[in-house]
């Protein structure tokens, strides 16, 4: 418990104590879908350790929007929970994660009694707005090779490794394109020396 308090030390001790008293700390294995598309949001997550990726869904296609790192939450879950509406996104753990789950029935009280809790989500709105603008720029402006480079570079940064265990199909799903196109672009990047591949592992050289 002391480790969790230390992780949440960016919040005042009184608020941390209330959060821990009224929330559930859950462990999730890598690849766990912790929020489904069009599901009603009953809890608000704060990532304590690990990494969560958030997707939008358009018919049969999926698009990676952003990552939730430790000490961060999901502002789109926050909005859906407050409005008691279904989620417009879904979220999956990128690696084994420990997440604090705050029941939404407590959120109005927390927002009223602890102004800093509001500030946390103002900061989240600002962060995710920038993330979404970056995603839109990638989709609308950048060619797929630039999008793929950015995608691999970000994943390496967030997971702290340049050896990425990824299939071409996984990459295609997260970028909202086809496996064949991803394979062609990865081969191009390999020929240019940006990366190499072996046994379903992509090694970044840059």
């Amino acid at each position: 418990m002391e480790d969790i308090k230390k992780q949440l030390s960016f919040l005042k001790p009184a608020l941390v104590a209330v959060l821990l008293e009224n929330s559930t700390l859950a462990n999730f294995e890598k690849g766990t879908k912790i929020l489904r598309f069009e599901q009603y949001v009953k809890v608000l997550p704060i990532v304590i350790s690990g990494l969560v990726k958030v997707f939008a869904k358009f018919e049969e296609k999926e698009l990676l929007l952003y990552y939730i790192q430790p000490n961060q939450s999901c502002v789109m879950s926050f909005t859906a929970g407050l409005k008691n509406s279904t989620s417009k996104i879904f979220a999956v753990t990128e690696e084994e994660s420990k997440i604090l789950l705050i029941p939404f029935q407590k959120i109005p009280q927390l927002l009223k009694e602890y102004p800093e809790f509001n500030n946390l989500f103002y900061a989240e709105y600002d962060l995710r707005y920038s993330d979404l603008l970056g995603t839109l720029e990638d989709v609308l402006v950048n060619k797929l090779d630039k999008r793929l480079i950015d995608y691999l570079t970000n994943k390496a940064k967030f997971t702290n490794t340049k050896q990425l265990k990824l299939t071409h199909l996984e990459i295609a799903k997260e970028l909202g394109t086809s496996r064949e196109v991803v394979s062609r672009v990865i081969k191009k990047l390999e020929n240019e020396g940006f990366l190499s591949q072996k046994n379903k592992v992509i090694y970044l050289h840059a």
Side-chain angles (χ1 to χ4, degrees):
M1 192 64 70
E2 290 301 319
D3 289 343
I4 300 170
K5 290 181 180 178
K6 184 177 180 181
Q7 189 69 36
L8 295 174
S9 60
F10 63 98
L11 300 172
K12 291 182 179 179
L15 175 55
V16 173
V18 172
L19 289 176
L20 294 179
E21 182 180 351
N22 292 278
S23 306
T24 300
L25 186 65
N27 294 303
F28 296 95
E29 295 182 356
K30 177 180 178 178
T32 302
K33 187 172 284 190
I34 62 172
L35 178 63
R36 300 183 182 278
F37 182 66
E38 295 188 334
Q39 171 185 339
Y40 280 96
V41 181
K42 300 299 183 183
V43 294
L44 179 68
I46 294 181
V47 175
I48 301 300
S49 63
L51 190 66
V52 175
K53 48 191 177 182
V54 175
F55 294 84
K57 186 174 183 179
F58 306 97
E59 295 182 352
E60 298 303 315
K61 287 192 174 183
E62 301 169 359
L63 180 65
L64 176 64
L65 297 179
Y66 52 80
Y67 291 94
I68 306 175
Q69 302 177 71
N71 296 346
Q72 295 179 353
S73 185
C74 180
V75 72
M76 298 184 77
S77 297
F78 178 72
T79 302
L82 285 183
K83 294 170 63 178
N84 195 31
S85 59
T86 58
S87 176
K88 301 298 187 287
I89 51 93
F90 68 92
V92 182
T93 52
E94 171 71 12
E95 55 191 40
E96 185 177 344
S97 300
K98 184 179 294 184
I99 303 175
L100 192 67
L101 303 174
I102 309 167
F104 254 100
Q105 61 191 31
K106 297 293 296 184
I107 297 299
Q109 177 187 350
L110 291 170
L111 293 173
K112 181 179 179 180
E113 296 181 2
Y114 299 92
E116 65 179 299
F117 200 58
N118 289 271
N119 294 336
L120 172 65
F121 289 98
Y122 290 143
E124 284 288 322
Y125 272 111
D126 183 62
L127 174 63
R128 300 313 171 197
Y129 180 71
S130 298
D131 286 339
L132 292 174
L133 285 181
T135 299
L136 283 174
E137 180 183 9
D138 259 352
V139 172
L140 297 176
V141 178
N142 294 328
K143 294 182 178 179
L144 188 59
D145 54 352
K146 173 65 165 58
R147 289 180 61 200
L148 188 51
I149 288 172
D150 289 345
Y151 165 83
L152 294 173
T153 302
N154 283 333
K155 190 173 286 286
K157 179 179 72 174
F158 290 131
T159 58
N160 198 33
T161 178
K162 290 190 174 184
Q163 299 180 20
L164 304 174
K165 295 182 180 180
L166 288 167
T167 67
H168 293 188
L169 181 58
E170 288 174 310
I171 296 171
K173 284 183 176 180
E174 298 198 358
L175 292 181
T177 186
S178 69
R179 182 187 59 78
E180 292 78 11
V181 171
V182 167
S183 296
R184 184 167 65 248
V185 175
I186 284 183
K187 187 63 178 177
K188 175 177 177 290
L189 295 176
E190 189 172 22
N191 291 337
E192 293 173 352
F194 180 78
L195 57 81
S196 58
Q197 306 175 82
K198 186 177 182 182
N199 298 328
K200 295 183 179 180
V201 178
I202 295 176
Y203 299 86
L204 300 188
H205 299 162

